[in-house]
Amino acid sequence: MATNNTVKFVINYDPIKGRSLIAKETIVMGEIIFEESPLVCSQFLWNAECKYDACQYCLTPLETAEENVSRLTKECIQLPYVEQCCQTDKCKHVDCLGCGRQERYCSIECRQRARESYHQTLCPSQSETMAINLNKLCQHWKSIHYPPETASIMLLVKILARIKQDATVVEKLQQFSSNTAQESEKFVHILCGDKFQEQIIILRQIIVDLFPNEEILNPFLTENGFKSLLAIVGKNSQGIGTSAFSQWARNCERLVANNPAECEQINQLIDGLFEKMEQISGCFINTEGSGLYELQSCINHSCQPNSETCFQHNNFILSLKALETINPGEEITICYLDECWKDRSRHSRNKYLQQNYLFTCHCPKCQQQTNDADETSDEEDEDSDLQSNPDDDEAMNCD
């Protein structure tokens, strides 16, 4: 649900291209175009092993900035201005009244919202069978998805729980991009791996056992209905990044902004710690969770986008920020590629987009590079080696 009062765009539909966002007024560089909360979101299932702790409802970090940076550098780090700049308030943290520390929240309000939204259905305290099946589902998903994760099966489970608790969620679900049966099959393949047909059978059976005799859910638990839900998760899930240390860093920079000498010292400290975290933990700096966002799912890709998604509130609220001035009638775009892919060759970018999103990009940047040789970037072979070896020790380095 969008949270801004002034709508600066319209949703356009093209029978070939699908949905898109079009600016209806001038949007200046740096402006927040909209903010929205997800239909559902979930932490990644490896977070516990990686010792990452966040609110199960809104993904606000439950660790302090010092705990965050110490975990990721594997050193005991003490930070200045912790009381003024670290916003983690452990006095407000609460556990689920039913399942205890299995579900932790940043506030009583988030605990109540989770219960009203989905957790009344999914709380393991509901029954021993519920607890067993949830654990079975999570363990199986982890066995086929090693860190760094990109989506969680719990998104699908929470969708079903939300539908059970509120039938109007079905209408909201229909706002996400629909796929042909062939496209759904491909997205499920991407999400579940080469043995996806076997995985679908296993995952579907566990989830059917989670929701026995729920007539309202029957259309989503058929073979085709289940594949469609998986495809929605595979195509539309958006990564969510929250960080107590990053929040402390932003607050600290503002605190010392008027003191040039101290500002320089703080910036050097922050840069050094970010560099150390990347060296020690790499991609695990930003692997908190994922969510399904109605408006964000309407935005098309460009290799040279005019906006970007960010999480400036350090929770699940997604903000769309303009990277340049966007004129009325122009399409609002984001980049689906990770930072390491943005500067690769047109051929490499489109190979990745075809494999993961089933389309070829024709943005201005790609059109300018049309005559470039169809050569793969040097880094791609290295990434392919890593992706083909998920059991590699480095991929499992959560400790």
Side-chain angles (χ1 to χ4, degrees):
M1 178 182 295
T3 59
N4 59 322
N5 295 322
T6 304
V7 179
K8 303 176 175 66
F9 56 86
V10 294
I11 299 176
N12 186 55
Y13 180 78
D14 182 276
I16 298 176
K17 193 175 182 180
R19 296 179 302 166
S20 61
L21 293 191
I22 306 297
K24 71 174 188 179
E25 60 182 63
T26 300
I27 302 170
V28 300
M29 183 174 66
E31 186 175 354
I32 298 300
I33 302 170
F34 68 76
E35 293 185 329
E36 67 171 328
S37 300
L39 176 65
V40 291
C41 74
S42 175
Q43 291 190 52
F44 292 135
L45 294 181
W46 281 98
N47 280 7
E49 281 80 357
C50 293
K51 298 180 175 63
Y52 178 79
D53 199 10
C55 175
Q56 290 286 354
Y57 180 72
C58 74
L59 270 61
T60 294
L62 298 182
E63 60 186 354
T64 66
E66 288 185 332
E67 290 171 338
N68 186 188
V69 69
S70 296
R71 173 173 60 84
L72 292 173
T73 61
K74 295 180 170 54
E75 295 181 13
C76 183
I77 303 293
Q78 292 185 322
L79 300 173
Y81 303 117
V82 170
E83 291 186 5
Q84 301 99 311
C85 299
C86 178
Q87 296 182 2
T88 302
D89 187 353
K90 294 198 172 188
C91 293
K92 294 182 178 179
H93 297 175
V94 294
D95 299 337
C96 170
L97 296 175
C99 56
R101 289 183 64 85
Q102 290 185 50
E103 291 281 323
R104 302 188 66 224
Y105 304 96
C106 65
S107 65
I108 292 174
E109 291 77 15
C110 274
R111 181 173 67 186
Q112 183 61 27
R113 289 172 188 139
R115 180 171 177 79
E116 292 171 353
S117 179
Y118 58 84
H119 195 59
Q120 183 176 347
T121 296
L122 294 179
C123 183
S125 67
Q126 292 292 316
S127 69
E128 184 178 352
T129 302
M130 172 66 72
I132 290 171
N133 285 326
L134 276 174
N135 183 64
K136 184 189 299 184
L137 178 67
C138 293
Q139 293 305 318
H140 183 73
W141 186 258
K142 285 163 62 179
S143 75
I144 60 175
H145 288 84
Y146 294 97
E149 298 166 84
T150 56
S152 171
I153 192 64
M154 288 304 297
L155 291 179
L156 187 149
V157 173
K158 286 183 178 181
I159 288 171
L160 294 173
R162 286 208 62 187
I163 292 171
K164 179 183 174 181
Q165 294 187 202
D166 179 5
T168 63
V169 172
V170 174
E171 184 177 348
K172 294 182 179 179
L173 191 61
Q174 292 170 346
Q175 302 303 310
F176 290 91
S177 299
S178 58
N179 304 300
T180 65
Q182 185 179 20
E183 286 175 333
S184 291
E185 192 88 356
K186 290 180 179 178
F187 279 115
V188 171
H189 186 180
I190 293 168
L191 192 63
C192 295
D194 290 336
K195 298 180 179 179
F196 71 102
Q197 297 289 7
E198 176 186 335
Q199 301 301 342
I200 289 170
I201 294 171
I202 297 171
L203 292 169
R204 178 170 163 261
Q205 186 57 59
I206 298 173
I207 291 176
V208 167
D209 292 340
L210 273 174
F211 300 100
N213 306 315
E214 297 292 345
E215 186 174 344
I216 192 173
L217 301 181
N218 285 345
F220 303 99
L221 296 177
T222 64
E223 183 179 349
N224 288 335
F226 188 68
K227 283 183 180 179
S228 295
L229 272 186
L230 275 174
I232 287 175
V233 170
K235 181 177 182 179
N236 298 285
S237 60
Q238 160 71 46
I240 300 172
T242 62
S243 165
F245 174 74
S246 294
Q247 185 182 58
W248 168 87
R250 289 192 295 271
N251 292 339
C252 204
E253 287 173 341
R254 285 194 288 266
L255 181 68
V256 301
N258 294 326
N259 186 329
E262 191 168 14
C263 186
E264 177 65 22
Q265 289 181 338
I266 288 294
N267 286 334
Q268 289 180 359
L269 172 65
I270 292 171
D271 290 344
L273 288 173
F274 270 121
E275 183 177 345
K276 183 174 291 187
M277 285 189 290
E278 186 172 0
Q279 289 175 349
I280 301 299
S281 298
C283 53
F284 293 100
I285 292 177
N286 293 305
T287 55
E288 289 82 9
S290 61
L292 296 179
Y293 295 85
E294 296 173 55
L295 288 176
Q296 180 272 342
S297 70
C298 297
I299 310 174
N300 288 317
H301 164 84
S302 172
C303 297
Q304 195 170 339
N306 54 24
S307 66
E308 66 176 358
T309 58
C310 56
F311 295 88
Q312 59 182 14
H313 300 287
N314 211 33
N315 58 19
F316 65 7
I317 296 176
L318 179 148
S319 303
L320 185 70
K321 182 179 181 181
L323 294 174
E324 59 187 53
T325 296
I326 306 172
N327 296 313
E330 288 185 9
E331 182 176 0
I332 298 168
T333 58
I334 58 176
C335 185
Y336 294 179
L337 303 171
D338 293 336
E339 285 297 325
C340 64
W341 280 91
K342 287 181 180 179
D343 294 326
R344 297 192 180 185
S345 67
R346 177 190 57 83
H347 179 67
S348 291
R349 298 195 307 270
N350 275 290
K351 183 177 179 181
Y352 179 89
L353 292 168
Q354 275 287 352
Q355 289 175 342
N356 292 276
Y357 297 98
L358 311 183
F359 71 85
T360 299
C361 182
H362 298 287
C363 72
K365 182 175 180 178
C366 287
Q367 291 180 7
Q368 291 170 3
Q369 298 174 346
T370 299
N371 295 326
D372 290 0
D374 287 344
E375 295 179 352
T376 301
S377 298
D378 294 337
E379 299 93 332
E380 185 179 337
D381 292 334
E382 296 177 15
D383 280 356
S384 297
D385 290 341
L386 288 176
Q387 292 170 6
S388 64
N389 292 286
D391 294 317
D392 189 275
D393 290 339
E394 184 176 352
M396 296 291 291
N397 184 22
C398 290
D399 296 333

